[in-house]
Amino acid sequence: MARVLVVDDALFMRKMVSDALTKGGHEVIGEAADGAQAVEQFKSLAPDVCTLDITMPEKDGLEALRDILVLDPAARVVMCSALGQDAKVIESIKAGARDFVVKPFQPGRVLEAVDKALA
C-alpha cells in the first residue's frame, strides 16, 4: 500500500483517481488543485507516490514535477493528463516521471502506473 498525493485542477478527476487508488488498496493522504499546491503538499506530506496533471493553473504539472524532483530526486511521480501527445509524454519521462496515464483512463491503468512507480 502506498501513500499517494493526487494532483489535478478538476475536482471530479481527483475523485476518480482517489477512488481508483483507494479501491486498489492505496491510501490517498492529500490532494492539490494546482502545481504550486502540489509542491507544498509534497513537502509537508512526503508521499510515496504523487500523481500530477499537466495542465493546471499557477504552476503546470511539468514545472511541479521538476520542483518536486529538486526536493527529492528519488520522488515517484505519475503524470495523468488529457494531453496524450507524444512530446508531452517524452518530456514528462525525460524530466523524471515514472509513468504517464492518458485521460480518460481506466481505473486499472492508474493502479498499474502507481504500482510500476513503486517497483
Side-chain angles (χ1 to χ4, degrees), residues 15-68:
K15 174 114 174 76
M16 285 180 62
V17 172
S18 294
D19 287 350
L21 292 170
T22 301
K23 287 177 185 171
H26 299 291
E27 178 186 5
V28 175
I29 60 168
E31 294 184 7
D34 64 53
Q37 290 175 7
V39 174
E40 291 306 312
Q41 291 281 343
F42 188 89
K43 284 183 201 176
S44 65
L45 299 173
D48 299 321
V49 180
C50 177
T51 67
L52 274 178
D53 185 18
I54 288 183
T55 305
M56 295 184 291
E58 299 297 319
K59 180 182 290 199
D60 72 21
L62 288 167
E63 290 177 273
L65 170 64
R66 290 181 182 102
D67 289 350
I68 286 169

Side-chain angles (χ1 to χ4, degrees), residues 1 7 10 12 20 28 45 51 54 61 63 72 76 84 90 95-96 100 107 112 114:
M1 175 175 76
V7 183
F12 77 94
V28 175
L45 299 173
T51 67
I54 288 183
E63 290 177 273
D72 179 3
R76 296 175 177 111
I90 292 167
F100 190 101
E112 175 187 311
V114 167

Side-chain angles (χ1 to χ4, degrees), residues 54 62 83-94 100:
I54 288 183
L62 288 167
L83 297 174
Q85 304 155 343
D86 291 344
K88 291 295 182 185
V89 173
I90 292 167
E91 187 176 355
S92 296
I93 299 301
K94 282 185 177 179
F100 190 101

Side-chain angles (χ1 to χ4, degrees), residues 102-115:
V102 178
K103 298 179 206 171
F105 54 80
Q106 297 296 317
R109 176 64 185 110
V110 174
L111 290 172
E112 175 187 311
V114 167
D115 290 342

